[in-house]
Structure formats: structure tokens, C-alpha cells
Amino acid sequence: MKLEELRYGTELIKRGFASMQKGGVIMDVTSAEQAEIAEAAGAVAVMALHAVPADIRAAGGVARMADPQKILEIMDAVSIPVMAKVRIGHFVEAEILEALGVDMIDESEVLTPADVQHHIDKKQFTVPFVCGARDLGEALRRIDEGAAMIRTKGEAGTGDVVEAVRHMRLIQGEIRGLAALTQEELRLAARRLEAPLSLVEETARLQRLPVVNFAAGGVATPADAALLMRLGADGVFVGSGIFKSEHPERMAAAIVEAVHHYDDPQTLAEVSKGLGEPMRGISARTLSEQEALQTRGW
């Protein structure tokens, strides 16, 4: 390995940082107090935003990047990495977060998109990015733009895991489908996926995305988190599922344990006991097209 490849901000370093979160839980937080709860529960990182997705959905209006002062308070409160969300295409919000020194930026469909034609050119930043995806083509397009981590979109703020499951199964199935293709068929697949051939070839060879793929959107119980890990997720994002539950501290710790022991039903049974009421949530199937967040981005 060449030493110059270890410079801060290279693709190698950005993807490496994202990989360090593998096997962990990243929790949405809106305050220093919530960040401390997440760290104590064993979260590998926190995601700072002005409101959890359930509250963003309920409040309506335009959802934007969190107040930089609030993000700094969260960064001061914990020793684990702090991530923060920006609107799709809003490269100025991303520049502000990079100037603050956050550890990763989420170009997120949960916030109101700022640009309906362009995602952020993430290769222009030294800080790594995570982006959402519903299928393999969307995931590879975000990686081509410079994303160091992908997360399935699910349907944030619902507490209904069905869309996260759908997206994880779809991406994993599409990756498996590349395995037996000839070179000419991979070219056709790249056209269909609207993704660079080199990334399609790399994905076919690795039989996984070239970056880590977390699950997100609708995780509300330890069993939800374990299910997504069983389906192939490298880790889990949890938002409203913790701080909209009856006992956030218990739920946070239980979901961390569930991700660590996702293939151990005995441990899952133990950690799922006595957690109180999970977030109430809403069925994703009852949402209109205008209410869905997962369709933002492309």
C-alpha cells in the first residue's frame, strides 16, 4: 500500500471509516441528552438531526439540516462518531457540516430535497457520505457519486419495517443475479441499472456492494433489527424506534444486543423482554405517494 493513499479524505479512508461501523447500530438523536443515551446503550455512532423522522412526518413543512449549535453540543457530549443529515442536493449544507467537523454526512430523503435533478458530488468532500437506496441501481449510482456507505431507505418514521425488508431483499437478490452473467450480460445489466460497468463488475465479483450496506427505515424492535441483519445488512440505523418507545434506554440497549446476536434466538428472546411499548407507528401501506419519503432521490 502506498502511504499517499492514506491521506485524509481519500476514497480508501472514507470507505474504511464506514466499514468500521460494521456490525453496529447508528441512532438518530436530536439533543446531547439523547446522544448520551445512545452512547451508553452501545451505539457505534449517532446521527444528528433537528427531529426524529416520526416528528418530521407529523410536522410537515420543510425539513432542513439541524442547527449547527445543536450539532456541536452533540459532538461535545459523546466520544463516538457524530453524523448529520443534509437535504438531497444541498451541497452548501454539506459544506457547513464538513466545516463543523462531523464524521459522516447523510444525504437524506428524510429531509425535504433541495434539488430535484442533482445529488451532491460527494467526491468533492473529504468527509464520507452515506446515502439511501431502494434497489441496486440506486445504490451503485450513489457509490459512483462518492458515497462510502449505503443504507436501505425503508419508510422512515413509520415504525413499519416492511419497506426496509423489501429494499434489502431486492438489493441482495439483484446482487446474486449478477453472479452468473457473462461479460456481455453485465454490460446490459449496467445499462439497465444506469450504473457504471466497472461498479457492476466489481459488485458481481464481490457478491456484495463495494461499500457497507446498512438497513434503515421502520426499525422499531430488537426483532426488526435482527431480521434485517439476517437478510444481509452490515448494520442498522434506528431513528424514531428508540426515542418514540416507552423506555428509550431499554430499547436502545436491546437493539444493540439484537444486532450483535442477530442469529441467536435465545439471546433475542432475552433482550426483547420487558421493553414496554414500542413506538406506535403507522402502516407504510396506508401512506399515499405524496406522504412516502422513500421515493425522494433516484
Side-chain angles (χ1 to χ4, degrees), residues 20-37:
M20 290 172 65
Q21 318 310 315
K22 190 174 180 179
V25 179
I26 300 170
M27 299 183 190
D28 284 351
V29 299
T30 62
S31 67
E33 292 75 17
Q34 289 185 354
E36 289 171 349
I37 290 172

Side-chain angles (χ1 to χ4, degrees), residues 171-251:
I171 290 174
Q172 297 295 82
E174 290 180 306
I175 291 173
R176 287 193 294 272
L178 296 177
L181 299 186
T182 64
Q183 185 62 32
E184 184 56 34
E185 289 169 334
L186 286 174
R187 291 183 186 279
L188 292 175
R191 292 176 194 165
R192 175 177 56 79
L193 295 169
E194 299 181 17
L197 175 60
S198 60
L199 277 177
V200 174
E201 291 173 331
E202 184 178 7
T203 302
R205 176 172 53 81
L206 296 173
Q207 277 296 285
R208 59 158 295 130
L209 290 178
V211 302
V212 288
N213 183 22
F214 276 46
V219 176
T221 68
D224 288 347
L227 171 62
L228 289 162
M229 293 296 289
R230 290 283 292 274
L231 293 177
D234 291 316
V236 175
F237 282 85
V238 187
S240 314
I242 290 175
F243 292 105
K244 290 297 180 182
S245 68
E246 184 177 4
H247 300 295
E249 294 90 346
R250 294 183 202 169
M251 185 63 76

Side-chain angles (χ1 to χ4, degrees), residues 107-188:
E107 188 181 17
S108 177
E109 69 282 356
V110 170
L111 306 185
T112 308
D115 193 322
V116 297
Q117 291 188 312
H118 304 93
H119 281 256
I120 296 171
D121 180 2
K122 292 163 272 289
K123 293 181 179 177
Q124 301 303 312
F125 291 79
T126 55
V127 64
F129 278 71
V130 54
C131 290
R134 291 177 294 169
D135 55 38
L136 180 57
E138 191 172 10
L140 294 180
R141 291 191 290 276
R142 298 292 84 77
I143 295 169
D144 183 49
E145 293 164 357
M149 174 190 283
I150 294 297
R151 54 171 174 72
T152 52
K153 285 182 172 177
E155 189 56 53
T158 61
D160 186 350
V161 79
V162 64
E163 293 303 299
V165 169
R166 184 203 307 276
H167 299 159
M168 184 58 67
R169 282 195 179 277
L170 179 57
I171 290 174
Q172 297 295 82
E174 290 180 306
I175 291 173
R176 287 193 294 272
L178 296 177
L181 299 186
T182 64
Q183 185 62 32
E184 184 56 34
E185 289 169 334
L186 286 174
R187 291 183 186 279
L188 292 175

